[in-house]
Amino acid sequence: MAKKIRLRASAKGGVATVKALITHPMETGNRKDKKTGKKIPAHFIQTVSGKHNGKEVMLAEWGPAVSKNPYVSFQFAGASKGDTVELSWSDNKGGSASATTKVR
Amino acid sequence: MQRRTFMKGTLAAGGVAVAVSAGLLSPRAVLAAWPKSAFEAKSVSDALSGLGVGTSSASGDIKIKAPDIAENGAVVPVQVKTSIAGVTSIAILTEKNANPLAANFNLKGSAKGFVATRIKMSKTSPVIAVVKAGGKAYSARKEVKVTIGGCGG
């Protein structure tokens, strides 16, 4: 299972726009396996954190109603080119991943 | 496959109590911060009270960008933008989903009043954005028609 985050941050007039694509199944726990008829256990991202130069600017709490392979975007002020942006997530099974990028 | 390796790892560390408790505590610490009651709520008002929002007043300063007709309810792009100053959180809810709350974004420091994501919708329903700013809550809604639901099997 690939745990990947595609992360981009671009600044315009001091405001940075961060865009991220996370690879994650986001199972709701309500879907049934067609072959066995059993419910597929829930597996979804619960928290997503966005950091600008190590300082948290966004902390999202997600439910299973966020789409599979989630897309998330947010903005923050006071950004300049070369700043570090970090995005990390953790799911209900204790899995997690993070990625960093530079503002451009 | 992954579970097997996890079990092996846990058993191997069984003798070292410290390692086990450290390994088991970290996911639980994450769960504690996650507002379970809000996400499991069956109605919009219950979900909002789970987030600590009592009443919200409708505001024209919140713009929800979502399609009028979503062909696939499993992937509905939603963008919330607000010009209200001092935004501390933005929540996205789907009124007619079994569990209305989809996501809650806590914004801190220099964050702007803007979030975008993609959500699942089971059927045609208003999408509600609730913005918290300066201790008050504001809301806006937009009807999205869904032709194929995204919550079933």
Side-chain angles (χ1 to χ4, degrees):
Chain A
M1 195 167 80
K3 282 186 176 172
K4 273 194 231 157
I5 302 176
R6 285 178 62 194
L7 185 64
R8 257 175 192 234
S10 58
K12 205 175 182 185
V15 176
T17 304
V18 182
K19 291 178 181 175
L21 265 176
I22 304 165
T23 306
H24 198 280
M26 295 301 283
E27 280 297 344
T28 59
N30 296 325
R31 235 155 52 92
K32 277 182 183 165
D33 190 315
K34 274 176 192 149
K35 280 175 197 156
T36 61
K38 278 187 186 160
K39 277 195 173 179
I40 302 169
H43 186 202
F44 58 94
I45 295 175
Q46 290 189 309
T47 54
V48 182
S49 156
K51 286 182 182 146
H52 169 219
N53 283 344
K55 202 177 150 207
E56 194 165 72
V57 289
M58 193 274 307
L59 176 67
E61 288 136 7
W62 283 2
V66 173
S67 298
K68 182 181 173 184
N69 296 336
Y71 164 77
V72 58
S73 176
F74 61 96
Q75 292 179 337
F76 60 86
S80 45
K81 282 192 169 69
D83 285 1
T84 332
V85 171
E86 189 189 344
L87 191 98
S88 57
W89 58 260
S90 56
D91 66 24
N92 65 327
K93 287 188 177 175
S96 64
S98 69
T100 53
T101 189
K102 296 249 186 275
V103 175
R104 52 175 177 179
Chain B
M1 188 61 197
Q2 263 203 337
R3 176 173 295 177
R4 196 163 291 168
T5 35
F6 171 76
M7 286 299 281
K8 258 187 206 164
T10 319
L11 285 174
V16 193
V18 180
V20 173
S21 63
L24 289 176
L25 270 175
S26 52
R28 251 180 230 161
V30 170
L31 278 176
W34 192 68
K36 197 164 181 274
S37 64
F39 279 102
E40 285 179 353
K42 300 258 188 282
S43 72
V44 171
S45 55
D46 285 355
L48 288 178
S49 58
L51 289 175
V53 178
T55 49
S56 59
S57 49
S59 169
D61 295 328
I62 305 167
K63 297 264 179 297
I64 304 176
K65 207 168 135 189
D68 294 325
I69 298 171
E71 278 176 22
N72 183 358
V75 188
V76 183
V78 176
Q79 191 190 88
V80 180
K81 202 171 184 178
T82 176
S83 53
I84 299 167
V87 175
T88 51
S89 78
I90 298 176
I92 299 171
L93 302 99
T94 312
E95 193 174 278
K96 286 180 185 159
N97 269 7
N99 305 109
L101 184 61
N104 180 40
F105 297 86
N106 296 299
L107 303 173
K108 299 166 186 179
S110 56
K112 299 286 251 183
F114 169 92
V115 290
T117 188
R118 296 195 289 229
I119 61 168
K120 295 173 197 164
M121 290 178 68
S122 60
K123 56 186 164 207
T124 299
S125 160
V127 170
I128 305 169
V130 177
V131 173
K132 259 206 275 188
K136 281 188 179 168
Y138 305 91
S139 67
R141 49 171 60 215
K142 184 182 192 303
E143 179 90 4
V144 176
K145 277 206 169 83
V146 175
T147 44
I148 306 168
C151 282

